[in-house]
Amino acid sequence: FVPAVTTVVAALHIPTAFAGKDEKPFDYPQAERSLCNHRALHRLLEPYDAHVVSGHMHTTTNCPVREGLYEHNVAALSGAWWQGAICTDGTPAGYGVYHVTGDDVKWIYKSIGEPENRQFRAYDMNTVKPVLGTEKAKADLAKYPSRKNGGDDYGAVGENVVFINVWNYDPQWTIRVTENGRELPVERVFQRDPLHSLVFDLPRVQKGYDATSDWASAETSHMFSVTASAPDTPIEISVTDRFGTTYTETMTRPKAFVKTMQ
């Protein structure tokens, strides 16, 4: 009963499509993690300019399934399963905000207690590695079944590297970083968010709870890496979303790695 070409939104819990680091949609092998009849739903949506809004994963993934079909898998108000104000991919606890004008849909992710212009978090890996790379930290992190390399997530990360977690990223976003006016190459990497490891993974083990992979830090496809020329040079980070809004940070380095959302 809905005319073709209409903009429609299908809201549901379990995702119908997901995207990995190559942005190609894939099907979950576990039946309980994917809508079993998602292909039929996608066929029903073919005549429309359709958006699917889903949850379930407590992470952020934006998946352009095909022309005219876009899935927003939105992170959780409850963070990592009610365990703290950060999701397993480093997305702050929060919610999606959708602005609809006629057939035009725009969206943004709103972190709890943060302004709308808070759209990424940057890490000075020079200060992260000494915290998460100690023998004690590596031994604790290695207790998680999903961890590799004996719990050493960042041992292969070079000096003067900065990670940038752009949680609501999709292929139409751009990330630009400069150091003393010189543009630095930005590389997309498949990594865990260091803050989630610090505030969730380590304390959980140290307090004697099970190191279950269900709530452990997850490797994410919305992490980016740049390498500065020195450990103490400031860098300018500029992130522009698909709607042309730019978010910036001047990172003074060394930048402390502490248990805050900053």
Side-chain angles (χ1 to χ4, degrees), residues 105-216:
V105 182
K106 292 183 172 60
W107 56 89
I108 195 169
Y109 186 80
K110 176 67 172 64
S111 305
I112 296 172
E114 298 282 353
E116 279 196 351
N117 64 2
R118 182 75 166 140
Q119 292 295 316
F120 66 90
R121 187 185 304 109
Y123 298 100
D124 186 346
M125 297 306 291
N126 286 351
T127 60
V128 170
K129 291 191 294 180
V131 176
L132 297 182
T134 66
E135 292 306 314
K136 178 66 167 65
K138 289 189 293 185
D140 287 340
L141 293 174
K143 295 178 182 178
Y144 288 91
S146 58
R147 283 328 236 254
K148 302 174 184 178
N149 304 320
D152 188 3
D153 287 319
Y154 309 114
V157 175
E159 293 301 305
N160 306 326
V161 169
V162 171
F163 279 2
I164 307 165
N165 191 344
V166 188
W167 40 79
N168 209 29
Y169 172 85
D170 74 21
Q172 292 193 28
W173 287 52
T174 57
I175 295 93
R176 184 172 182 263
V177 182
T178 59
E179 177 190 38
N180 296 324
R182 179 179 65 92
E183 189 157 352
L184 301 177
V186 178
E187 178 188 6
R188 195 177 185 190
V189 293
F190 204 52
Q191 289 277 8
R192 290 183 173 86
D193 182 86
L195 183 59
H196 187 271
S197 294
L198 182 67
V199 302
F200 185 88
D201 289 346
L202 285 179
R204 182 174 182 83
V205 170
Q206 291 164 358
K207 292 179 180 179
Y209 295 105
D210 290 339
T212 171
S213 291
D214 291 341
W215 298 332

Side-chain angles (χ1 to χ4, degrees), residues 6 31 37 42 51 67 115 130 138 184-185 197 201 218-219 232 238:
T6 302
N37 58 346
H42 289 178
H51 295 262
E67 185 68 26
K138 289 189 293 185
L184 301 177
S197 294
D201 289 346
E219 292 179 328
D232 56 357
S238 176

Side-chain angles (χ1 to χ4, degrees), residues 2-10 44-52 66-70 102-105 107:
V2 179
V5 193
T6 302
T7 297
V8 300
V9 178
L44 286 173
L45 295 173
E46 282 179 359
Y48 309 105
D49 183 13
H51 295 262
V52 173
R66 62 163 188 262
E67 185 68 26
L69 178 58
Y70 187 106
D103 288 327
D104 183 57
V105 182
W107 56 89

